[in-house]
Amino acid sequence: MVSNIDEINLIGGFYSNAAIGELKKDNNKDYNSIYGFVAALLLEYTIAEEKLKLTTAQRILEFKKASVLINDIFSNQTKNEIKMVTDILKDTINKLIKFRKKTNQWNISNKDVRNILNTEIDGKTYSDRIYDNKNAIAKLLKKQTKDLLDGKTSVNEIKDLIKKTFGTNDHVTDRLVENEISRVCRELDERYFIDNDIIDLVYCGILDSHICEKCLDLDGKEFKRDDPNRPKLPKHIRCRCFYSIADKSKKSLNMSSNKSDDKNPVQGNKISNEQLNNFIQKLNDLGVNCVGFEEYHGEYDVLNNMVEDLKVIINDFPMIKNLKNGLTLKYEDAGNVEDLAVTRGKTIILNKRVFDDSEYMKQMYDKLTNEGWFVKGTDYRSVIYHEIGHILNNKDKRLLKSVENDIRKRALDNNMKFNTYVMENISEYASITYNGYNYEELLPELISMCYNGNNKKIAEEIINQLKLR
């Protein structure tokens, strides 16, 4: 089904950039350098009652050495961090712009990108903040070293103090990087919404399990772009929430948001090893790969029906049967309860969060079918049939236009507008477009209709004319 899982994966991935780990490696080396200096002091000078005993001249000399070492370390950290954070932000910006351009043409100038990158908050850019952060850490380390030299800090305390300070340095870096990634992404998004006259937005707060209660309460709520009450993002330090585009031509699949009698899915019992092995074996016999179902918590009958449906499909469609390395069925948490499934390439991904509660999943599908969103007469078993249609589309892009042309002719023969014909004879879901012109849900809904709907005639005629089976 239509999913924002790609958007969630993209944005979530920004916060796990491998370059952040490189900064931490440098921090560990610098910790070892400073603690090595301190350890040398403990070996060289007298210790009495757990305190260093130095003359005034020795304290001045050693503090001067420590200051030079700390200044050098944090001068290098400042330069390296500014460069690495700049690279991370530029990479983030480029990836987000590329992603947004998949939906709408968007010409944003390099000057505008630079302005977003170097936006000042409270009179400071991210480079200024890095400089201030490093100075603050360096100042604290100098004080800790001086207290050791002056006998105010015991030799048993100093290691933990320095370690804690470098831990703070790590934390401050993490926080700054996450804040800046959020800032540039949200500024880019706001520019994109304005440039493309996008009015309706959806608040997206759930990327994973790390979300605060305030943001969780806003997740899934719709706002007009110019609504003065629309929360400005980021809302708080390390906020990763974002606004997605609310496609008014499709209905929300979130059944827990507007009616008090709706419920959230509740995880069932975990699949037994015997059931899991049996399911995997059945899929392997069909030439289907299986990933992630060891975490399945739904009804086993749902999986059995899935196997039977795949058996029919694979037998009927040579294009599916002959997929190189086979079809893959994957079980994965989409991070929301809006999506039943999504297809990437030749992999069908079932949303664990929905399928773990089989009753919820079935009711969710039935509700949308009754509203006319899915093909009349179909039930949850159409999820697999529908996604097979996406695999066929992915395998042969010409099918998109062939199906559309056939249905346009039928609409014309019946004196009907194309979208009206589709909604009345197939489903509302089949009438939505992507990029303004691709009717990517047509063939999937026709497959669903052909194998699980009440009125199969149109679907069977089109599928047979395309010689798909």
Side-chain angles (χ1 to χ4, degrees), residues 15 178-179 182 203 215 233-241:
Y15 300 98
E178 285 198 14
N179 287 344
S182 294
Y203 192 104
C215 292
L233 298 178
K235 276 175 62 64
H236 54 77
I237 292 172
R238 303 187 99 154
C239 177
R240 300 176 301 158
C241 299

Side-chain angles (χ1 to χ4, degrees), residues 189-203:
D189 280 346
E190 293 299 323
R191 178 62 184 269
Y192 175 76
F193 299 149
I194 292 170
D195 288 352
N196 287 280
D197 197 28
I198 293 165
I199 304 299
D200 298 291
L201 305 171
V202 178
Y203 192 104

Side-chain angles (χ1 to χ4, degrees), residues 412-430:
L412 192 62
D413 290 344
N414 284 273
N415 266 340
M416 296 176 72
K417 291 183 178 178
F418 176 78
N419 274 15
T420 303
Y421 181 87
V422 171
M423 286 191 281
E424 289 188 7
N425 291 279
I426 306 173
S427 71
E428 186 176 347
Y429 193 23

Side-chain angles (χ1 to χ4, degrees), residues 62-157:
E62 296 301 342
F63 183 68
K64 194 175 287 185
K65 289 180 185 177
S67 294
V68 169
L69 175 62
I70 291 168
N71 286 341
D72 285 347
I73 283 174
F74 283 91
S75 174
N76 288 331
Q77 278 204 14
T78 301
K79 291 175 187 175
N80 292 340
E81 192 161 310
I82 288 173
K83 181 182 182 306
M84 200 163 287
V85 171
T86 300
D87 290 343
I88 289 170
L89 295 180
K90 284 181 177 179
D91 180 62
T92 299
I93 288 170
N94 290 335
K95 285 178 179 176
L96 185 57
I97 289 173
K98 186 177 179 181
F99 180 83
R100 293 299 181 209
K101 283 183 176 180
K102 290 179 181 179
T103 306
N104 288 299
Q105 288 299 317
W106 186 30
N107 296 316
I108 182 168
S109 69
N110 290 332
K111 181 181 177 182
D112 289 335
V113 170
R114 283 196 300 273
N115 287 339
I116 288 173
L117 186 65
N118 296 310
T119 295
E120 290 186 358
I121 298 175
D122 297 331
K124 293 182 178 181
T125 65
Y126 69 90
S127 299
D128 298 327
R129 294 181 190 283
I130 291 173
Y131 181 82
D132 289 348
N133 292 342
K134 297 305 175 187
N135 271 352
I137 295 293
K139 186 177 179 180
L140 179 57
L141 283 169
K142 287 178 186 178
K143 182 182 183 305
Q144 290 169 342
T145 306
K146 189 172 188 305
D147 285 347
L148 175 71
L149 295 170
D150 290 344
K152 295 178 180 179
T153 298
S154 78
V155 296
N156 294 327
E157 293 172 325

